Amino acid sequence: RKEVEQDPGPFNVPEGATVAFNCTYSNSASQSFFWYRQDCRKEPKLLMSVYSSGNEDGRFTAQLNRASQYISLLIRDSKLSDSATYLCVVNDNYGQNFVFGPGTRLSVLP
Amino acid sequence: DTEVTQTPKHLVMGMTNKKSLKCEQHMGHRAMYWYKQKAKKPPELMFVYSYEKLSINESVPSRFSPECPNSSLLNLHLHALQPEDSALYLCASSAPGLGGGYTFGSGTRLTVV
C-alpha cells in the first residue's frame, strides 16, 4: 500500500461546480498535512495546511480525520484558474520527510 | 516571485558533462531538500539537509552529489548523467519542526542528451 493515496482523477467540472478531493495516508504517526497545487511545468505551491479542527480559506475548505487517516479538500464555486494538479502532502518525520501523494488533476471547463 | 531561488532554470547537458544546480533561500529555514519530478508524477525526494548536515539520502545514484555550503545554499553536482535523469529538479526549504510546509523553488528543467 502506498504511503499517501489520492483520488485517481482527472476531474473535469464546469465553472461554478463544487469539487471534493480525497486523500488517505498509511502512517498513523504522521504529524502535519498539507494541500499543494501544481500548475503545468511549474513548481508545487502551498495551498493550505490542514488541521484537525478543519480550516477554510475563501472557497477552499480542508478537513483532517486522524482516526480514519483521511484528508479532504473542498473547492466551491470553481474557477477556470483552479485547473491544476492537487497534491496531498504528509509529514512523516519531525520537520523533515514530506511524502507526496500522486496528485489529482482538476480541469475546470467553461 | 519565489523565496527559494534556483539556477539555472533550464539546462541541457551531455552524458559526459559535469554541471551544478544551485539553490538559495533567505528565509532562515534550516532544512533544505532536493526533489526530482518526472512528467505527470509527484516529486520524489532525493536528499534532505538539516542544519547543513545530510540527514536523508533516498539511495540516489552517486552521479548526483549534493553539497550544502551554508544554511542558505544548496547545490546539486551532476556528473555522467543518463537520459533517464532528464526531469524537473526542485529545491525546497522548510522551517524546523511541524506546521510549516515546504517552499519550493521554481525548479531546473534538466535535459540529458
Side-chain angles (χ1 to χ4, degrees), chain B residues 23-41:
Chain B
C23 176
E24 186 171 6
Q25 58 89 12
H26 293 290
M27 295 179 284
H29 290 174
R30 299 311 296 269
M32 295 185 76
Y33 311 78
W34 280 115
Y35 276 83
K36 173 182 176 181
Q37 187 175 26
K38 301 283 275 185
K40 298 187 179 181
K41 296 287 187 182

PDB file of all heavy atoms in Angstrom, chain B residues 23-41:
ATOM      1  N   CYS B  23      20.768  26.448  -5.475  1.00  0.00           N
ATOM      2  CA  CYS B  23      19.541  26.811  -4.781  1.00  0.00           C
ATOM      3  C   CYS B  23      19.906  27.725  -3.630  1.00  0.00           C
ATOM      4  O   CYS B  23      20.887  27.483  -2.920  1.00  0.00           O
ATOM      5  CB  CYS B  23      18.850  25.548  -4.264  1.00  0.00           C
ATOM      6  SG  CYS B  23      17.366  25.868  -3.295  1.00  0.00           S
ATOM      7  N   GLU B  24      19.103  28.769  -3.439  1.00  0.00           N
ATOM      8  CA  GLU B  24      19.378  29.718  -2.362  1.00  0.00           C
ATOM      9  C   GLU B  24      18.066  30.159  -1.724  1.00  0.00           C
ATOM     10  O   GLU B  24      17.080  30.392  -2.418  1.00  0.00           O
ATOM     11  CB  GLU B  24      20.122  30.936  -2.940  1.00  0.00           C
ATOM     12  CG  GLU B  24      20.596  31.930  -1.913  1.00  0.00           C
ATOM     13  CD  GLU B  24      21.507  33.001  -2.504  1.00  0.00           C
ATOM     14  OE1 GLU B  24      21.671  33.034  -3.744  1.00  0.00           O
ATOM     15  OE2 GLU B  24      22.058  33.799  -1.724  1.00  0.00           O
ATOM     16  N   GLN B  25      18.084  30.265  -0.396  1.00  0.00           N
ATOM     17  CA  GLN B  25      16.916  30.795   0.318  1.00  0.00           C
ATOM     18  C   GLN B  25      17.403  31.680   1.459  1.00  0.00           C
ATOM     19  O   GLN B  25      18.442  31.422   2.049  1.00  0.00           O
ATOM     20  CB  GLN B  25      16.012  29.654   0.837  1.00  0.00           C
ATOM     21  CG  GLN B  25      16.682  28.661   1.776  1.00  0.00           C
ATOM     22  CD  GLN B  25      16.627  29.014   3.232  1.00  0.00           C
ATOM     23  OE1 GLN B  25      15.892  29.928   3.647  1.00  0.00           O
ATOM     24  NE2 GLN B  25      17.396  28.296   4.045  1.00  0.00           N
ATOM     25  N   HIS B  26      16.617  32.723   1.729  1.00  0.00           N
ATOM     26  CA  HIS B  26      16.968  33.658   2.801  1.00  0.00           C
ATOM     27  C   HIS B  26      15.798  33.814   3.767  1.00  0.00           C
ATOM     28  O   HIS B  26      15.519  34.908   4.247  1.00  0.00           O
ATOM     29  CB  HIS B  26      17.380  35.006   2.199  1.00  0.00           C
ATOM     30  CG  HIS B  26      18.659  34.935   1.420  1.00  0.00           C
ATOM     31  ND1 HIS B  26      19.876  34.748   2.015  1.00  0.00           N
ATOM     32  CD2 HIS B  26      18.887  34.975   0.087  1.00  0.00           C
ATOM     33  CE1 HIS B  26      20.818  34.700   1.085  1.00  0.00           C
ATOM     34  NE2 HIS B  26      20.244  34.825  -0.093  1.00  0.00           N
ATOM     35  N   MET B  27      15.137  32.691   4.029  1.00  0.00           N
ATOM     36  CA  MET B  27      14.017  32.728   4.962  1.00  0.00           C
ATOM     37  C   MET B  27      14.427  32.222   6.339  1.00  0.00           C
ATOM     38  O   MET B  27      13.576  32.091   7.225  1.00  0.00           O
ATOM     39  CB  MET B  27      12.862  31.879   4.412  1.00  0.00           C
ATOM     40  CG  MET B  27      12.284  32.439   3.127  1.00  0.00           C
ATOM     41  SD  MET B  27      10.954  31.424   2.476  1.00  0.00           S
ATOM     42  CE  MET B  27      11.911  30.069   1.796  1.00  0.00           C
ATOM     43  N   GLY B  28      15.702  31.890   6.495  1.00  0.00           N
ATOM     44  CA  GLY B  28      16.164  31.362   7.774  1.00  0.00           C
ATOM     45  C   GLY B  28      15.782  29.910   7.994  1.00  0.00           C
ATOM     46  O   GLY B  28      15.890  29.404   9.113  1.00  0.00           O
ATOM     47  N   HIS B  29      15.316  29.252   6.939  1.00  0.00           N
ATOM     48  CA  HIS B  29      14.982  27.832   7.081  1.00  0.00           C
ATOM     49  C   HIS B  29      16.251  27.007   7.269  1.00  0.00           C
ATOM     50  O   HIS B  29      17.268  27.274   6.645  1.00  0.00           O
ATOM     51  CB  HIS B  29      14.229  27.347   5.835  1.00  0.00           C
ATOM     52  CG  HIS B  29      12.854  27.901   5.719  1.00  0.00           C
ATOM     53  ND1 HIS B  29      12.062  27.682   4.609  1.00  0.00           N
ATOM     54  CD2 HIS B  29      12.094  28.638   6.574  1.00  0.00           C
ATOM     55  CE1 HIS B  29      10.879  28.274   4.793  1.00  0.00           C
ATOM     56  NE2 HIS B  29      10.891  28.859   5.969  1.00  0.00           N
ATOM     57  N   ARG B  30      16.157  25.964   8.104  1.00  0.00           N
ATOM     58  CA  ARG B  30      17.347  25.174   8.387  1.00  0.00           C
ATOM     59  C   ARG B  30      17.278  23.792   7.755  1.00  0.00           C
ATOM     60  O   ARG B  30      18.177  22.971   7.973  1.00  0.00           O
ATOM     61  CB  ARG B  30      17.549  25.054   9.899  1.00  0.00           C
ATOM     62  CG  ARG B  30      17.760  26.407  10.588  1.00  0.00           C
ATOM     63  CD  ARG B  30      18.804  27.281   9.897  1.00  0.00           C
ATOM     64  NE  ARG B  30      20.127  26.723   9.912  1.00  0.00           N
ATOM     65  CZ  ARG B  30      21.025  26.955  10.868  1.00  0.00           C
ATOM     66  NH1 ARG B  30      20.731  27.740  11.868  1.00  0.00           N
ATOM     67  NH2 ARG B  30      22.232  26.406  10.796  1.00  0.00           N
ATOM     68  N   ALA B  31      16.227  23.504   7.021  1.00  0.00           N
ATOM     69  CA  ALA B  31      16.148  22.243   6.280  1.00  0.00           C
ATOM     70  C   ALA B  31      15.969  22.567   4.808  1.00  0.00           C
ATOM     71  O   ALA B  31      15.145  23.400   4.443  1.00  0.00           O
ATOM     72  CB  ALA B  31      14.980  21.382   6.772  1.00  0.00           C
ATOM     73  N   MET B  32      16.774  21.912   3.984  1.00  0.00           N
ATOM     74  CA  MET B  32      16.692  22.113   2.539  1.00  0.00           C
ATOM     75  C   MET B  32      16.699  20.759   1.856  1.00  0.00           C
ATOM     76  O   MET B  32      17.250  19.783   2.372  1.00  0.00           O
ATOM     77  CB  MET B  32      17.853  22.980   2.044  1.00  0.00           C
ATOM     78  CG  MET B  32      17.799  24.395   2.604  1.00  0.00           C
ATOM     79  SD  MET B  32      19.065  25.492   1.931  1.00  0.00           S
ATOM     80  CE  MET B  32      18.406  25.846   0.282  1.00  0.00           C
ATOM     81  N   TYR B  33      16.070  20.716   0.689  1.00  0.00           N
ATOM     82  CA  TYR B  33      15.761  19.444   0.043  1.00  0.00           C
ATOM     83  C   TYR B  33      16.013  19.526  -1.457  1.00  0.00           C
ATOM     84  O   TYR B  33      15.834  20.589  -2.069  1.00  0.00           O
ATOM     85  CB  TYR B  33      14.264  19.114   0.215  1.00  0.00           C
ATOM     86  CG  TYR B  33      13.733  19.243   1.619  1.00  0.00           C
ATOM     87  CD1 TYR B  33      13.431  20.481   2.162  1.00  0.00           C
ATOM     88  CD2 TYR B  33      13.506  18.108   2.392  1.00  0.00           C
ATOM     89  CE1 TYR B  33      12.941  20.597   3.447  1.00  0.00           C
ATOM     90  CE2 TYR B  33      13.003  18.223   3.682  1.00  0.00           C
ATOM     91  CZ  TYR B  33      12.724  19.476   4.198  1.00  0.00           C
ATOM     92  OH  TYR B  33      12.225  19.595   5.473  1.00  0.00           O
ATOM     93  N   TRP B  34      16.358  18.393  -2.009  1.00  0.00           N
ATOM     94  CA  TRP B  34      16.320  18.225  -3.471  1.00  0.00           C
ATOM     95  C   TRP B  34      15.277  17.165  -3.802  1.00  0.00           C
ATOM     96  O   TRP B  34      15.273  16.081  -3.208  1.00  0.00           O
ATOM     97  CB  TRP B  34      17.659  17.781  -4.043  1.00  0.00           C
ATOM     98  CG  TRP B  34      18.657  18.872  -4.213  1.00  0.00           C
ATOM     99  CD1 TRP B  34      19.843  19.017  -3.557  1.00  0.00           C
ATOM    100  CD2 TRP B  34      18.581  19.976  -5.121  1.00  0.00           C
ATOM    101  NE1 TRP B  34      20.495  20.148  -3.985  1.00  0.00           N
ATOM    102  CE2 TRP B  34      19.744  20.756  -4.947  1.00  0.00           C
ATOM    103  CE3 TRP B  34      17.633  20.399  -6.070  1.00  0.00           C
ATOM    104  CZ2 TRP B  34      19.987  21.920  -5.675  1.00  0.00           C
ATOM    105  CZ3 TRP B  34      17.880  21.553  -6.790  1.00  0.00           C
ATOM    106  CH2 TRP B  34      19.049  22.292  -6.596  1.00  0.00           C
ATOM    107  N   TYR B  35      14.427  17.514  -4.765  1.00  0.00           N
ATOM    108  CA  TYR B  35      13.436  16.588  -5.295  1.00  0.00           C
ATOM    109  C   TYR B  35      13.620  16.463  -6.804  1.00  0.00           C
ATOM    110  O   TYR B  35      14.045  17.407  -7.470  1.00  0.00           O
ATOM    111  CB  TYR B  35      12.007  17.095  -5.045  1.00  0.00           C
ATOM    112  CG  TYR B  35      11.450  16.766  -3.695  1.00  0.00           C
ATOM    113  CD1 TYR B  35      11.746  17.554  -2.585  1.00  0.00           C
ATOM    114  CD2 TYR B  35      10.606  15.676  -3.518  1.00  0.00           C
ATOM    115  CE1 TYR B  35      11.216  17.245  -1.343  1.00  0.00           C
ATOM    116  CE2 TYR B  35      10.069  15.361  -2.282  1.00  0.00           C
ATOM    117  CZ  TYR B  35      10.383  16.149  -1.201  1.00  0.00           C
ATOM    118  OH  TYR B  35       9.867  15.845   0.025  1.00  0.00           O
ATOM    119  N   LYS B  36      13.247  15.310  -7.316  1.00  0.00           N
ATOM    120  CA  LYS B  36      13.226  15.067  -8.753  1.00  0.00           C
ATOM    121  C   LYS B  36      11.775  14.798  -9.156  1.00  0.00           C
ATOM    122  O   LYS B  36      11.085  14.027  -8.482  1.00  0.00           O
ATOM    123  CB  LYS B  36      14.082  13.842  -9.085  1.00  0.00           C
ATOM    124  CG  LYS B  36      14.009  13.379 -10.532  1.00  0.00           C
ATOM    125  CD  LYS B  36      14.850  12.125 -10.720  1.00  0.00           C
ATOM    126  CE  LYS B  36      14.732  11.576 -12.129  1.00  0.00           C
ATOM    127  NZ  LYS B  36      15.535  10.334 -12.304  1.00  0.00           N
ATOM    128  N   GLN B  37      11.328  15.434 -10.229  1.00  0.00           N
ATOM    129  CA  GLN B  37       9.951  15.210 -10.666  1.00  0.00           C
ATOM    130  C   GLN B  37       9.916  14.922 -12.165  1.00  0.00           C
ATOM    131  O   GLN B  37      10.340  15.744 -12.978  1.00  0.00           O
ATOM    132  CB  GLN B  37       9.061  16.413 -10.347  1.00  0.00           C
ATOM    133  CG  GLN B  37       7.593  16.153 -10.635  1.00  0.00           C
ATOM    134  CD  GLN B  37       6.685  17.280 -10.206  1.00  0.00           C
ATOM    135  OE1 GLN B  37       7.096  18.440 -10.133  1.00  0.00           O
ATOM    136  NE2 GLN B  37       5.426  16.962  -9.915  1.00  0.00           N
ATOM    137  N   LYS B  38       9.387  13.753 -12.484  1.00  0.00           N
ATOM    138  CA  LYS B  38       9.148  13.393 -13.877  1.00  0.00           C
ATOM    139  C   LYS B  38       7.724  13.833 -14.240  1.00  0.00           C
ATOM    140  O   LYS B  38       6.875  14.040 -13.373  1.00  0.00           O
ATOM    141  CB  LYS B  38       9.298  11.881 -14.064  1.00  0.00           C
ATOM    142  CG  LYS B  38      10.658  11.326 -13.675  1.00  0.00           C
ATOM    143  CD  LYS B  38      11.734  11.587 -14.687  1.00  0.00           C
ATOM    144  CE  LYS B  38      11.758  10.547 -15.784  1.00  0.00           C
ATOM    145  NZ  LYS B  38      12.900  10.768 -16.707  1.00  0.00           N
ATOM    146  N   ALA B  39       7.482  13.918 -15.551  1.00  0.00           N
ATOM    147  CA  ALA B  39       6.186  14.405 -16.029  1.00  0.00           C
ATOM    148  C   ALA B  39       5.038  13.555 -15.484  1.00  0.00           C
ATOM    149  O   ALA B  39       5.107  12.327 -15.477  1.00  0.00           O
ATOM    150  CB  ALA B  39       6.162  14.401 -17.553  1.00  0.00           C
ATOM    151  N   LYS B  40       4.009  14.238 -15.005  1.00  0.00           N
ATOM    152  CA  LYS B  40       2.768  13.615 -14.529  1.00  0.00           C
ATOM    153  C   LYS B  40       2.992  12.719 -13.320  1.00  0.00           C
ATOM    154  O   LYS B  40       2.190  11.812 -13.048  1.00  0.00           O
ATOM    155  CB  LYS B  40       2.071  12.846 -15.652  1.00  0.00           C
ATOM    156  CG  LYS B  40       1.664  13.737 -16.811  1.00  0.00           C
ATOM    157  CD  LYS B  40       0.837  13.012 -17.835  1.00  0.00           C
ATOM    158  CE  LYS B  40       0.436  13.948 -18.957  1.00  0.00           C
ATOM    159  NZ  LYS B  40      -0.393  13.309 -19.982  1.00  0.00           N
ATOM    160  N   LYS B  41       4.084  12.937 -12.606  1.00  0.00           N
ATOM    161  CA  LYS B  41       4.356  12.189 -11.378  1.00  0.00           C
ATOM    162  C   LYS B  41       4.585  13.178 -10.243  1.00  0.00           C
ATOM    163  O   LYS B  41       4.941  14.328 -10.482  1.00  0.00           O
ATOM    164  CB  LYS B  41       5.636  11.343 -11.550  1.00  0.00           C
ATOM    165  CG  LYS B  41       5.530  10.267 -12.617  1.00  0.00           C
ATOM    166  CD  LYS B  41       4.652   9.136 -12.163  1.00  0.00           C
ATOM    167  CE  LYS B  41       4.700   7.996 -13.168  1.00  0.00           C
ATOM    168  NZ  LYS B  41       3.805   6.891 -12.774  1.00  0.00           N
TER     169      LYS B  41
END
